[in-house]
Amino acid sequence: MSADPSKSQTAGPLAVAIVGAGPSGFYAAAALLKALPGVEIDIIEALPTPYGLIRGGVAPDHQSTKGVSRAFARTAGDSRIRFHGNVELDRDVSLAELRAAYDAVVLAIGMARDRDLEIPGAGLAGVFGAASFVGWYNGHPDFRDLDPNLDTSAACVIGNGNVAIDVARVLLKTAEEMADSDLADHAAGAIRAAPLRDVYLIGRRGPVQAKFTNKELTEMGTLADCAAVVDPAQLPDEVSGEMPARDRRLAEKNLATLKGFAAGAPDDGPDDGPDNGPDAGKTKRVHFVFYAKPDAVLGEGRCTALRLERTRIEDGRAVGTGEFFEVPCGLVVPAIGYSMAPVAGLTLDAASGAIANRDGRIDPGLYVVGWAGRGPSGVIGTNKAGGDRIAELIQADFPQDGVRSSGGKPGRAALEQLLTERGLRRVGFADWERIDTAEVAAAPSGAPRRKLTRIADMLAILD
Ligand code: NAP
């Protein structure tokens, strides 16, 4: 980076770059502003839109979870912060260049890739990892053209975490139930037109090991046109075995919820005659299938079924029993966790798949926070503590309240010079606010916004 060397020796604010404008980036920014009043922070984001998973990951019908973006917008409005959207690490600017320009660089880049489903047939048409499928229905520009063929009556969602539940619910809610969501137009049309009747949520372990939070699981029993179905024979009488108290409480609640589903579930299929229970007349089913390990996606060119192996639990692990069965389906969505794209010059930790670090520090001057640092776990609020920790680390490494006396780096001036030299189009926070205003103004009745899903359309708003 062609930084002005005279500036690099002057006193001034501690220059911090945060890469990634998702929850972990914003929580880190807020914590740094508080801990180091003299700091100057640049938030660098690949998309023209901020908020990361709040916009592109959180389910479109869970608007209350997205409310935290109002706090992030207040953080972005602080005069010590500048947002540089439409600037991507490695594509537009390298980590080495950022490290040369800033006193501290914080990587808050999340985990954008699907963990591989390592079974035969995983590459067939009709198989879409949750990162791309969720990105598609949330209008993420990278997945705008995914075009999943939803011309199928049955889908399998693999995994027993909240992402799996999100995918199933978004596929199964009625258009009326989604009316107050920000489901992207292209996805709303495709889901509405799909003849989907049965969604199978596949867990390789049992109901006690499922990772759904209870609120999300309970919601599956409240859908307007979908009955929750579970085989009571798969539900133990009670939660047994050693586990932390918190996990036990969750398992007990989930088990009670699933027993409620089993008690209320229709014993007939959609077309098998009258059902007088609370689910009478519902045309769709979500089937909770436990103890079933994916073995192969079947089909010629396109998936037509998922073959599963029944499992039993040994020492907490799913062990195959050698008994196989098939679920006919035209769509398979593995929601089995995320992995990281390699970042030049950094090592990934074999266990977590995240960037190797010591409690958030990679080197003095280089830090990592959020999923990129701990792996893909935890809810949005989990990242607040991570942000606080990063501020503590930076405070320890630069103990001058964010004002360095000398020897510091040029920060923002150097980044902006580089963007200009490269002819890159930076989207500032005020630009984003114009995009936001346009989306809100275009919202269908009852919906919070109509999302722009192509970068060119977002930039066109600004021209
Ligand atoms: P997750 O909670 O870790 O669940 C992943 C699931 O995939 C587990 O059931 C896991 O089973 C299963 N799995 C992994 N590899 C598999 C394989 N090869 N074959 C079959 N199953 C496999 O992850 P997530 O659902 O992606 O969620 C990520 C984080 O975001 C979680 O902390 C989640 O709570 C959070 N989140 C929260 C919300 C919300 O609050 N509403 C919404 C979405 C996401 P095992 O347990 O057997 O490994």
Side-chain angles (χ1 to χ4, degrees):
M1 182 172 285
S2 48
D4 178 350
S6 65
K7 282 189 183 164
S8 70
Q9 294 304 315
T10 57
L14 186 79
V16 178
I18 297 178
V19 186
S24 62
F26 267 108
Y27 279 125
L32 278 165
L33 290 178
K34 206 164 153 199
L36 300 166
V39 74
E40 185 176 87
I41 301 173
D42 287 336
I43 300 182
I44 296 162
E45 163 62 47
L47 292 175
T49 54
Y51 310 142
L53 281 184
I54 297 287
R55 181 177 166 100
V58 170
D61 59 332
H62 280 181
Q63 287 296 316
S64 60
T65 309
K66 297 179 185 241
V68 69
S69 61
R70 286 192 286 277
F72 295 161
R74 283 195 294 279
T75 299
D78 190 290
S79 59
R80 294 165 288 175
I81 289 212
R82 190 166 296 176
F83 174 72
H84 306 265
N86 205 30
V87 177
E88 187 170 336
L89 181 67
D90 277 348
R91 183 192 65 188
D92 300 326
V93 56
S94 71
L95 182 56
E97 287 168 332
L98 290 178
R99 292 201 71 183
Y102 290 88
D103 297 302
V105 176
V106 180
L107 299 173
I109 54 180
M111 278 203 176
R113 287 188 178 179
D114 284 297
R115 189 178 283 163
D116 288 335
L117 178 67
E118 291 166 334
I119 58 172
L124 287 176
V127 183
F128 301 97
S132 51
F133 197 76
V134 170
W136 170 73
Y137 66 58
N138 271 331
H140 190 299
D142 288 357
F143 307 105
R144 170 66 182 81
D145 296 318
L146 191 74
D147 198 17
N149 182 350
L150 300 185
D151 187 16
T152 177
S153 62
C156 284
V157 182
I158 302 173
N160 271 183
N162 282 333
V163 173
I165 282 235
D166 281 350
V167 170
R169 191 183 65 252
V170 168
L171 285 171
L172 288 163
K173 272 192 170 180
T174 63
E176 291 71 33
E177 286 177 291
M178 293 303 281
D180 57 359
S181 79
D182 61 358
L183 179 64
D185 273 0
H186 58 263
I191 293 171
R192 208 178 310 124
L196 209 55
R197 287 287 171 268
D198 294 279
V199 173
Y200 297 85
L201 268 169
I202 313 281
R204 63 180 171 182
R205 298 193 290 161
V208 168
Q209 291 84 22
K211 290 178 173 160
F212 315 128
T213 44
N214 190 254
K215 184 163 168 275
E216 276 62 31
L217 180 62
T218 303
E219 193 180 357
M220 296 308 280
T222 66
L223 306 187
D225 190 27
C226 176
V229 179
V230 56
D231 177 358
Q234 293 202 318
L235 304 178
D237 291 338
E238 58 187 27
V239 174
S240 57
E242 288 296 306
M243 65 185 80
R246 194 163 171 270
D247 291 355
R248 179 177 299 280
R249 278 196 301 277
L250 173 66
E252 284 171 349
K253 279 188 186 174
N254 282 352
L255 186 58
T257 303
L258 288 163
K259 284 185 175 171
F261 293 168
D267 55 1
D268 46 3
D271 303 316
D272 292 351
D275 166 29
N276 299 320
D279 292 323
K282 291 188 176 177
T283 65
K284 297 177 185 174
R285 303 276 185 272
V286 56
H287 307 259
F288 290 84
V289 180
F290 297 106
Y291 306 108
K293 187 158 72 91
D295 179 64
V297 183
L298 307 177
E300 305 229 334
R302 190 190 153 95
C303 111
T304 53
L306 179 64
R307 188 169 66 209
L308 297 150
E309 182 179 8
R310 292 206 190 280
T311 63
R312 62 171 175 271
I313 307 301
E314 280 179 16
D315 296 330
R317 290 166 55 86
V319 178
T321 61
E323 187 190 339
F324 294 85
F325 65 105
E326 292 176 15
V327 179
C329 59
L331 174 69
V332 173
V333 181
I336 59 172
Y338 297 91
S339 66
M340 283 214 65
V343 181
L346 299 180
T347 315
L348 299 185
D349 177 78
S352 67
I355 297 169
N357 68 89
R358 287 177 313 283
D359 199 18
R361 191 190 274 113
I362 302 170
D363 282 327
L366 182 62
Y367 311 87
V368 60
V369 68
W371 281 10
R374 70 170 187 273
S377 67
V379 296
I380 302 292
T382 311
N383 295 299
K384 183 167 184 316
D388 292 346
R389 175 70 190 142
I390 289 301
E392 281 169 22
L393 291 175
I394 295 181
Q395 200 168 25
D397 290 348
F398 301 91
Q400 301 105 358
D401 285 345
V403 184
R404 49 170 179 65
S405 46
S406 68
K409 298 188 182 172
R412 185 170 299 165
L415 175 70
E416 292 188 343
Q417 186 182 331
L418 181 143
L419 298 180
T420 306
E421 280 167 11
R422 294 186 180 166
L424 295 170
R425 180 167 184 176
R426 163 186 172 269
V427 171
F429 202 76
D431 296 328
W432 148 247
E433 288 175 322
R434 288 169 61 200
I435 296 170
D436 183 35
T437 302
E439 288 189 342
V440 172
S445 166
R449 66 181 63 245
R450 173 173 273 136
K451 274 184 177 169
L452 291 165
T453 58
R454 295 192 192 279
I455 290 176
D457 293 340
M458 296 174 191
L459 298 182
I461 298 282
L462 309 176
D463 290 332

